[in-house]
Structures are given as structure tokens and as C-alpha cells.
């Protein structure tokens, strides 16, 4: 009996372990998502084949590309694919009607339209819509040719097959293990609120010389990532969550306020270096109480978003200023204190509005008019040199494929090469950081997998039951093995190549040339992509970083030149346009530089560490903020007597800084940080002495105090630019730049 009991106990333990293992497998998110995609794929093919429709591949591709982690994300992407297909169809049929006999005009207009889509794709939240619209237009034009009737049939077939795939997957996703975006959205919102509170506390410690730059940098990067995830999930939750959809206006207002809070916190942090040597608690007697109230508000916001009711309402606080102590400071120190106080007052207003909006959302209050945040206007057609460069590369890819199709007899694939050059070329051109070599393994891995099934398994099948089982198993395996976000390329290309190679249709035929032709088409396509990789700019990450840094300082140089006072000359429209262009360059280039940093190969850059590069980027971002601040403060009203008194001094400082920017645009290590710091400090000391003398002689007027405050703000902005410039030069001097400039292949 003891032996039997022991065996039974071990068997029971094994059965329980097996049950736990299989339960974890069958209930895992990876299993569910793979199962839903495979089931939708089989249903889409079954309906398409039973209806006798041609090209069921298009329905399968729709299933493959719209299947995402949540229902909202899937439906959002499905809507963009459907609307993009409709727009592409209309444009294609219009072009076929306008240019039935003129081949070169026809293909030229197609290239212009797809280039426009490529430009819009990189600057829009609906990038997938523009991508689909471009390649669907090319698919219809290439397959339909000059025959309007044939083009119309292909357009209708593409639309109905795409609609079928979207409809099938949407129904499956809604009724089978539906995953709402709401829980993920709530979690992302709560995480962002907590991170913003932590970032505020870190910035506050920085003013007391207790914080570290590493902590600030890590929290800032985390805040940006969480904000991007929040934006993505908000768009999805508005679709699949009634609770979010009902309060869409409030959530959009919250989204805008969070973005404003991020920018204000960054600007506030930038002013910390200017007041660290001062005794702020003495100059601002209510600083501790004021700062504590702001932190309490951010904590209340985080608590409400986490589902907890607020313990109390925001209290009214003001940041008092000890003017007696302030008068004993130098003018630059006064400017720094006043700037810090003004920014903290801005934080007070933002945190109050943020609390009221979140209270309205969570049912803990009513924000009333405060939720009516004005809509942020956007101009997707602004000039962007990087996007223009992407278009140049895409056009070279497109025309290379088209000319090869025309002038190379017996080219494998024919028009398929042009279609794939459009579909893949737009993506590659808009993501130059993505090396073409990283696409080879997913594409040819999926091709090999599909070829094995096509050659050795499919000929042995009979009837849709066995074919459907094979299609389900193959789709499930690809999705399950590539379930991680970093494996998205393997999943998408695996499914796309499986469907393309197998070419499932009612009149099924088997030909080894199908596999070889597909392989040769992608071989030629990758050859074109690699040849054009350095058009119009070098795609090596270190060269891209150098190029963007040079552009950054050229724009800084122009903006600095634009800060001069010259009331006699009105600002012309072209000059205003150039100022807007360069201001946008300064604001966006640090982010673009940051997108290249993960792709740097430090093996080719001896003497450089990733920490050094990150510190350099942080310094660039700081300089960008301060130049933007200088531009804003430059337009504040200033007393005429102060402008006239310091016209030459400001001009001398501006010319010196312009010269520094010009040299940094030519080479990142051209300046000597010690000499530059000495020179700029001398100019600041001279300017401070003249400010003291001039203000002491100025007559007392009712606006005297406000004039002084405005001038202090301007002086603080000038000083902050100088400090940020010196800091950048010091960070750049720590990097060995020679390997960055060497040619490599």
C-alpha cells in the first residue's frame, strides 16, 4: 500500500504540473493572439475561396497587418488600412482615366503622389494610412495597366478583399478573448503621472544641489517614452472603451496639459544652474510651502488616476519674494530668481488645471471651463530637410525599380518589383536608422518556410479542410514564435511571405518558378535598397549624428542673428518663414539625434562611450530650450532707454556667440572651452556693471519696476545661452571625434 500510495502521489503531482503547464500555455496572451490571427486567416480564406473571388492573398494580408495586441489598436489600424485603400483606389482610377496612353506621364504622376504620401507619412499620426494609400495606388496601376475596365475590377477586388480581411479579424477579436485597451491605458496613465511627480521631485532636489544629472536624464527619457505610449493607447481606447470615448474631450485636454507640464518642467529644470549658488529659501520665503503644495497636487492626480478619491482640494498658494534681499543681488542673479519664480508660478497654474481635469474625468469634481483647452494647431506641410531627403531616396528606389522593369528584358517579377519597391521603399526611406541587412533574415526566413510548405506539403492536400488546417498551423506558429514587440518584423514578413509564396487560390497550381521568382524579386529589391542606402545622405549613424549637429548649430547661428534689434526694418514674410524653419530645426534636431544614438557602433568609435554621447545630447537639448527661451524673451516689451543703452553690448555678445555657433557647425571640437568661458564671462561682467550703472541713473517711473523685471528676464535668457554653450563645448571636448569623421565601408 505504501508503494501504491507513493506512485499515486507522484502521478498526481505530475498530472498537476502538466495541467499547470498546459493551462499557462493555452491561456497565455501569446497563445490567444496567435490563435485569433490563425482563426481569422482561415475564415477569411474560406469565405474568399467559397465566393470564387480572385486574390484571397489580399484578405490574408489585411488579417496579418491589422492584428495587434488590443481590439482598439487593431480596429484603429484596420480603419486606416480601409480608408487608405479607398483613397489609393480613387487616385489610381483617376490616373488611369487621365493618362491611358501616356506611359511616362502616368508613372511620373504616380511617383509624385507616392512621394507626397511618403512625406506625409513621417510627420503624421496616421502614418499607416498614407503608407497604404501609396502602395494600393501602385498595385492597381501596375496590375490594371492602361485598361480602365481591368483597373476598375482590380480596384474593386482589392477593396472587397481588404474589407473582408478587416471585417473577419475585427469580429474574431471582438468575440474571442477580446483584449480592451482600457486596462493598458489606465496603467499607462497612472505610470506617467507617477513619473511626472518623480521628475518634479528630482528637479526640486536639483535646486537644492541634492539631485543628480543621471537621475534627471533617466526620468526624462522614461517620461517621454510613457507619454508616447499614453498617446498611442488613448487613440486605441477611444475606439474600444466606452468609458474613454464618453470623456474623449477631457482626455484630450489632459493630454495637452501633460505635454505643457513636461515642457514647463524642462524649462524650470534648465534654470536650476543659475540659482544653485543662491539661498532660494531666503529669497523666496514661502518656497517650501509652495513646492510642497505642487507636489501634493501631482500626488493627488496620480492617486485619482489610480482609482483613489482625493483627500482634499488644491490649496491657494503664492510664491512670495523678499525684495529687500533681492535688491542686494547682482542684476543677473535677480534675473535668475525672477525667472525661477515665474516658471514655478506657471507650474502652479498647470497643476491646478491638471487636477481639475482629472477630477472631472474620475468623477471627483467638475472642471467646467478648464477642460476646454484650445486645440493645438498642426501644420503637416512644414519644410523638413530630413523628410525631403527621405523622399529623394524613395524616388530613387521607385524609379530604379520602374526603369529596370522597362529596360531589362525578362526581369523576374516584372511589375511586382515596382509594387514591392513602393511598399517597402517608403518604410525604409522613412526609417533610415533601420539597416537594410536587418530585413534580410525575416524576409528570406519567411520565404524559406513558405517554400517548404508550398513544395512538399501543399501538393499532398485535398480539400479545404486539410488546407485550412495547414494554414491555421503555419499562421499560429509564425505568430506564436514572434510574439514579442521586438519580433514584429519577423511576424509581419513571415506571414506576408507565407501567403505570397503559397499563392492559395481556387485553381491551385504548383510551380517551382514561383519560389525562385519571388526570391529573385526580393534579391533585386534588397540590392536596390542597399545601393541607395547613402542617398542623399550617408546612413552611417556617426555621420548622421555629425550632420544633424552641424545643422543644429547653423540654425542656432541664424536664430541668434535674428535676435538683433533693428526696429527700422520691418520683418519680411520670407524672413519670418526662415525664422520659423530654423526655430523648428532647433526644437526637433535633438530628438532626431537621439533616434540615431542606439544605432551607434562604438566598436568603430574608440575613445567614445555611450554615457559621453548621452551627456552631449542632454547638453544639446538644454541649449535648444534656452535658445527658444531667448527667442520668447526677446519679444517681451523693453524700455527704450535700456535698449539704447545696451544696444552695442548685446550686439557684441551676439556676434561672439554667432561666431561660436559657426565654428561648432564646421567641427564639433573646434572651440576651446576654457577660452570661451573666460571670454563670455568677461562680457557678462562688463554688461552687468553697465546694467547696474544705467538702472541706478534711470528716473523713477510707475513702470520702472516692470521694465526692470522684463530686462532681468532678457538678461537671464542671454546668460543661460552662454552657460549652455560653455557646457556643450566641455561635453564635446571629452569625445574623440576623429574616428567619427573617418570613412568606412
Amino acid at each position: 500500500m505504501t508503494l501504491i500510495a507513493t506512485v499515486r502521489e507522484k502521478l498526481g503531482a505530475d498530472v498537476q504540473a502538466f495541467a499547470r503547464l498546459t493551462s499557462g500555455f493555452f491561456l497565455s496572451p501569446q497563445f490567444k493572439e496567435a490563435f485569433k490571427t490563425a482563426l481569422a486567416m482561415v475564415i477569411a480564406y474560406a469565405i474568399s475561396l467559397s465566393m470564387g473571388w480572385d486574390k484571397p492573398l489580399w484578405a490574408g494580408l489585411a488579417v496579418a497587418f491589422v492584428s495587434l495586441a488590443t481590439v482598439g489598436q487593431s480596429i484603429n489600424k484596420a480603419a486606416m488600412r480601409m480608408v487608405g485603400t479607398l483613397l489609393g483606389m480613387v487616385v489610381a482610377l483617376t490616373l488611369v482615366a487621365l493618362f491611358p496612353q501616356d506611359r511616362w506621364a502616368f508613372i511620373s504622376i504616380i511617383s509624385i503622389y507616392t512621394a507626397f504620401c511618403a512625406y506625409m507619412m513621417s510627420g503624421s499620426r496616421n502614418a499607416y494610412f498614407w503608407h497604404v494609400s501609396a502602395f494600393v495606388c501602385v498595385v492597381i496601376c501596375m496590375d490594371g495597366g492602361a485598361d480602365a475596365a481591368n483597373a476598375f475590377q482590380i480596384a474593386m477586388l482589392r477593396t472587397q478583399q481588404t474589407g473582408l480581411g478587416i471585417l473577419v479579424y475585427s469580429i474574431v477579436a471582438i468575440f474571442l478573448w477580446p483584449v480592451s485597451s482600457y486596462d493598458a491605458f489606465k496603467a499607462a496613465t497612472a505610470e506617467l503621472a507617477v513619473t511626472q511627480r518623480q521628475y518634479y521631485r528630482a528637479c526640486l532636489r536639483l535646486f537644492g544641489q541634492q539631485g543628480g544629472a543621471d537621475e534627471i536624464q533617466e526620468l526624462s527619457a522614461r517620461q517621454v517614452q510613457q507619454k508616447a505610449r499614453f498617446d498611442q493607447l488613448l487613440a486605441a481606447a477611444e475606439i474600444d472603451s466606452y468609458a474613454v470615448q464618453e470623456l474623449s474631450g477631457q482626455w484630450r485636454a489632459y493630454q495637452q496639459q501633460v505635454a505643457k507640464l513636461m515642457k514647463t518642467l524642462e524649462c524650470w529644470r534648465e534654470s536650476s544652474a543659475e540659482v544653485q549658488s543662491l539661498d532660494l529659501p531666503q529669497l523666496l520665503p514661502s518656497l517650501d510651502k509652495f513646492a510642497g503644495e505642487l507636489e501634493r497636487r501631482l500626488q493627488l492626480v496620480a492617486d485619482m488616476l489610480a482609482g483613489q478619491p482625493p483627500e482634499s482640494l488644491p490649496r491657494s498658494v503664492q510664491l512670495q519674494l523678499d525684495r529687500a534681499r533681492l535688491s542686494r543681488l547682482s542684476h543677473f542673479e535677480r534675473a535668475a530668481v525672477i525667472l525661477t519664480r515665474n516658471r514655478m508660478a506657471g507650474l502652479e497654474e498647470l497643476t491646478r488645471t491638471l487636477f481639475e481635469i482629472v477630477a472631472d474625468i474620475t468623477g471627483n469634481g467638475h472642471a467646467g471651463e478648464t477642460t476646454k483647452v484650445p486645440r493645438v494647431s498642426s501644420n503637416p506641410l512644414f519644410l523638413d530637410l530630413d523628410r525631403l531627403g527621405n523622399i529623394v531616396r524613395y524616388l530613387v528606389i521607385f524609379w530604379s525599380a520602374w526603369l529596370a522593369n522597362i529596360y531589362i528584358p525578362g526581369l523576374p517579377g516584372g511589375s511586382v518589383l515596382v509594387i514591392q519597391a513602393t511598399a517597402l521603399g517608403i518604410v525604409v526611406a522613412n526609417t533610415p536608422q533601420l539597416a537594410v541587412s536587418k530585413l534580410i533574415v525575416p524576409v528570406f526566413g519567411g520565404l524559406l518556410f513558405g517554400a517548404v510548405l508550398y513544395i512538399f506539403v501543399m501538393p499532398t492536400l485535398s480539400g479545404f479542410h486539410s488546407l485550412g488546417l495547414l494554414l491555421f498551423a503555419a499562421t499560429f506558429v509564425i505568430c506564436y514564435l514572434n510574439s514579442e514587440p521586438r519580433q514584429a518584423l519577423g511576424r509581419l514578413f513571415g506571414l506576408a511571405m507565407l501567403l505570397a509564396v503559397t499563392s492559395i487560390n481556387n485553381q491551385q497550381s504548383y510551380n517551382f518558378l514561383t519560389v525562385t521568382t519571388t526570391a529573385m524579386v526580393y534579391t533585386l529589391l534588397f540590392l536596390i535598397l542597399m545601393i541607395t542606402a547613402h542617398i542623399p545622405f550617408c546612413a552611417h549613424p556617426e555621420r548622421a549624428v555629425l550632420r544633424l549637429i552641424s545643422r543644429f548649430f547653423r540654425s542656432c547661428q541664424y536664430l541668434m542673428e535674428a535676435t538683433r534689434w533693428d526696429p527700422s526694418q520691418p520683418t519680411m514674410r520670407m524672413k519670418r518663414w526662415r525664422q520659423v524653419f530654423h526655430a523648428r530645426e532647433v526644437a526637433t534636431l535633438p530628438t532626431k539625434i537621439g533616434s540615431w544614438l542606439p544605432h551607434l557602433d562604438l566598436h568603430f568609435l574608440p575613445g567614445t562611450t555611450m554615457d559621453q554621447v548621452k551627456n552631449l545630447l542632454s547638453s544639446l537639448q538644454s541649449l535648444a530650450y534656452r535658445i527658444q527661451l531667448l527667442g520668447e524673451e526677446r519679444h517681451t516689451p523693453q524700455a527704450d532707454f535700456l535698449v539704447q543703452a545696451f544696444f552695442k553690448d548685446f550686439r557684441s555678445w551676439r556676434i561672439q556667440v554667432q561666431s561660436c555657433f559657426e565654428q561648432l557647425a564646421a567641427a564639433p571640437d573646434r572651440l576651446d572651452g576654457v577660452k570661451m568661458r573666460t571670454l563670455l564671462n568677461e562680457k557678462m561682467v562688463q554688461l552687468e556693471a553697465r546694467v547696474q550703472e544705467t538702472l541706478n541713473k534711470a528716473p523713477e517711473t510707475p513702470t520702472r519696476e516692470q521694465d526692470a523685471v522684463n530686462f532681468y528676464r532678457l538678461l537671464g535668457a542671454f546668460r543661460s545661452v552662454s552657460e549652455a554653450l560653455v557646457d556643450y563645448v566641455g561635453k564635446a571636448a571629452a569625445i574623440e571625434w576623429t574616428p567619427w569623421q573617418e570613412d568606412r565601408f
Side-chain angles (χ1 to χ4, degrees), residues 607-628:
T608 301
T609 65
M610 186 54 67
D611 288 339
Q612 289 176 332
V613 178
K614 289 181 178 179
N615 290 336
L616 185 76
L617 177 62
S618 177
S619 182
L620 269 179
Q621 185 67 74
S622 174
L623 182 59
Y625 278 128
R626 298 185 184 205
I627 288 179
Q628 293 176 63

Side-chain angles (χ1 to χ4, degrees), residues 207-347:
F207 278 83
Q209 299 183 354
Q210 298 175 356
D214 293 339
E215 180 188 14
I216 292 285
Q217 185 175 351
E218 192 273 333
L219 287 172
S220 178
R222 189 196 307 173
Q223 183 179 214
V224 171
Q225 294 173 357
Q226 292 177 350
K227 175 62 166 54
R229 177 168 171 76
F230 167 81
D231 294 341
Q232 180 185 16
L233 289 173
L234 175 58
E238 285 177 328
I239 296 175
D240 65 7
S241 173
Y242 178 75
V244 177
Q245 187 180 30
E246 186 182 21
L247 299 172
S248 178
Q250 288 91 331
W251 278 117
R252 289 295 176 182
Y254 174 78
Q255 183 185 34
Q256 293 184 26
Q257 291 299 108
V258 165
K260 289 181 181 179
L261 180 61
M262 288 175 61
K263 182 177 180 181
T264 306
L265 284 173
E266 287 287 345
C267 293
W268 179 52
R269 176 180 67 86
E270 294 301 331
S271 63
S272 64
E274 303 164 13
V275 295
Q276 282 185 345
S277 60
L278 304 177
D279 190 354
L280 277 183
Q282 294 293 329
L283 294 165
L284 304 173
S286 60
L287 177 61
D288 292 339
K289 179 181 178 181
F290 187 91
E293 172 61 18
L294 297 189
E295 182 178 355
R296 193 180 70 87
R297 293 179 186 178
L298 293 175
Q299 181 63 54
L300 291 174
V301 168
D303 291 342
M304 286 190 292
L305 291 173
Q308 303 175 16
E311 298 178 355
S312 59
L313 297 176
R315 292 189 287 265
S316 178
V317 290
Q318 290 185 350
L319 192 56
Q320 300 172 356
L321 181 64
D322 189 332
R323 297 191 176 278
R325 293 180 183 273
L326 186 69
S327 62
R328 293 196 288 268
L329 300 179
S330 69
H331 288 283
F332 285 113
E333 290 174 337
R334 296 183 201 176
V337 173
I338 293 174
L339 278 175
T340 300
R341 181 172 180 261
N342 290 342
R343 285 170 183 163
M344 294 194 73
L347 285 175

Side-chain angles (χ1 to χ4, degrees), residues 234-545:
L234 175 58
E238 285 177 328
I239 296 175
D240 65 7
S241 173
Y242 178 75
V244 177
Q245 187 180 30
E246 186 182 21
L247 299 172
S248 178
Q250 288 91 331
W251 278 117
R252 289 295 176 182
Y254 174 78
Q255 183 185 34
Q256 293 184 26
Q257 291 299 108
V258 165
K260 289 181 181 179
L261 180 61
M262 288 175 61
K263 182 177 180 181
T264 306
L265 284 173
E266 287 287 345
C267 293
W268 179 52
R269 176 180 67 86
E270 294 301 331
S271 63
S272 64
E274 303 164 13
V275 295
Q276 282 185 345
S277 60
L278 304 177
D279 190 354
L280 277 183
Q282 294 293 329
L283 294 165
L284 304 173
S286 60
L287 177 61
D288 292 339
K289 179 181 178 181
F290 187 91
E293 172 61 18
L294 297 189
E295 182 178 355
R296 193 180 70 87
R297 293 179 186 178
L298 293 175
Q299 181 63 54
L300 291 174
V301 168
D303 291 342
M304 286 190 292
L305 291 173
Q308 303 175 16
E311 298 178 355
S312 59
L313 297 176
R315 292 189 287 265
S316 178
V317 290
Q318 290 185 350
L319 192 56
Q320 300 172 356
L321 181 64
D322 189 332
R323 297 191 176 278
R325 293 180 183 273
L326 186 69
S327 62
R328 293 196 288 268
L329 300 179
S330 69
H331 288 283
F332 285 113
E333 290 174 337
R334 296 183 201 176
V337 173
I338 293 174
L339 278 175
T340 300
R341 181 172 180 261
N342 290 342
R343 285 170 183 163
M344 294 194 73
L347 285 175
E348 192 276 335
E349 181 179 355
L350 277 173
T351 53
R352 177 180 291 277
T353 303
L354 201 63
F355 175 89
E356 292 174 347
I357 293 175
V358 174
D360 189 17
I361 291 173
T362 57
N364 294 296
H366 182 68
E369 295 296 323
T370 58
T371 61
K372 298 181 180 180
V373 180
R375 189 179 184 89
V376 178
S377 60
S378 61
N379 181 15
L381 295 178
F382 65 84
L383 182 62
D384 189 301
L385 296 181
D386 295 289
R387 292 166 68 181
L388 289 177
N390 296 342
I391 286 182
V392 171
R393 184 185 178 188
Y394 163 71
L395 288 175
V396 173
I397 294 171
F398 179 86
W399 278 96
S400 298
W402 169 252
L403 294 175
N405 180 44
I406 293 294
Y407 291 109
I408 300 178
L411 182 73
S415 62
V416 176
L417 178 64
V418 183
I419 295 172
Q420 295 303 318
T422 302
L424 194 56
I426 288 180
V427 176
V428 171
N430 277 301
T431 53
Q433 300 89 349
L434 178 63
V436 177
S437 58
K438 293 184 179 180
L439 302 177
I440 295 178
V441 173
V443 168
F444 285 97
L447 175 64
L448 179 61
F449 180 65
V452 170
L453 298 180
Y454 178 74
I455 296 172
F456 297 105
V457 181
M458 287 184 61
T460 65
L461 304 178
S462 60
F464 185 77
H465 296 289
S466 54
L467 176 63
L469 182 61
L470 174 66
L471 186 60
F472 180 92
T475 304
F476 180 87
V477 168
I478 292 174
C479 294
Y480 189 82
L481 296 180
N482 297 278
S483 58
E484 297 294 329
R486 58 185 175 82
Q487 298 173 313
L489 289 177
R491 180 180 180 276
L492 293 178
F493 283 116
L495 291 175
M497 299 310 298
L498 169 69
L499 301 180
V501 172
T502 54
S503 304
I504 299 173
N505 221 318
N506 275 318
Q507 301 298 326
Q508 187 70 37
S509 61
Y510 300 98
N511 191 338
F512 184 70
L513 289 178
T514 301
V515 178
T516 57
T517 300
T518 304
M520 293 184 68
V521 166
Y522 278 94
T523 300
L524 291 172
L525 178 58
F526 280 124
L527 182 62
I528 293 174
L529 295 179
M530 289 181 176
I531 292 174
T532 60
H534 300 290
I535 297 176
F537 307 116
C538 179
H540 292 315
E542 64 274 11
R543 289 298 186 88
V545 170

